[in-house]
Amino acid sequence: AGGGGPVPMATGRESSIAIPPAPNWYGSALGDWGGADGTLYAYAARNAVVIVRPEETHGACRRFVGTLVGHTNRVTALGFGRQRGVAHLLVSGSADTNLRLWDTDSLRCLR
C-alpha cells in the first residue's frame, strides 16, 4: 500500500492487475463551455459540477454561478446541450452509475 504501483487482483489470472487512479482524478480537466448564451464553463469537482462565467457580461464581471450537487460518487462526464432550445441544459454522468440532467438557468436537477 502507499507504493503507488499496480495492485494485483485476485482473479485467478496472473496477468490481471488494477491500475490505481491518477492523483488528479478529481481534476478540472473534465469541463465544457456552453449555456444559453455560450458564456458558461462547467467542470467536474469531485461529486459535483461547478459552473462559472469567466467572461465579463454587460459591464459586470460575474464569475461563480453555482454548484450542481446530486451525484454520490465522482463526476466522470459532462456536456452542455448543443441545439437551440436546449443549450441551457447540461448532462452529467458519474461513477455512481447515474446520469443527471441539469437546468443551468435555475441550477436544478431535472432528472
Side-chain angles (χ1 to χ4, degrees):
V7 178
M9 293 178 62
T11 63
R13 295 184 351 201
E14 292 180 333
S15 64
S16 295
I17 60 170
I19 310 255
N24 64 343
W25 65 301
Y26 287 130
S28 61
L30 178 60
D32 193 21
W33 282 95
D37 59 2
T39 63
L40 296 180
Y41 183 73
Y43 64 91
R46 297 188 184 198
N47 301 351
V49 175
V50 176
I51 300 178
V52 294
R53 178 176 281 122
E55 307 270 333
E56 191 169 275
T57 306
H58 305 293
C61 189
R62 301 178 188 148
R63 296 190 184 276
F64 178 76
V65 175
T67 304
L68 307 177
V69 179
H71 287 292
T72 59
N73 205 335
R74 66 186 166 94
V75 175
T76 57
L78 62 87
F80 279 97
R82 300 286 184 224
Q83 303 296 321
R84 185 184 312 180
V86 297
H88 66 290
L89 299 179
L90 181 134
V91 65
S92 61
S94 168
D96 65 10
T97 70
N98 291 303
L99 291 175
R100 294 192 179 269
L101 180 64
W102 304 92
D103 181 333
T104 60
D105 291 337
S106 65
L107 301 178
R108 292 179 34 141
C109 183
L110 302 176
R111 293 184 184 209

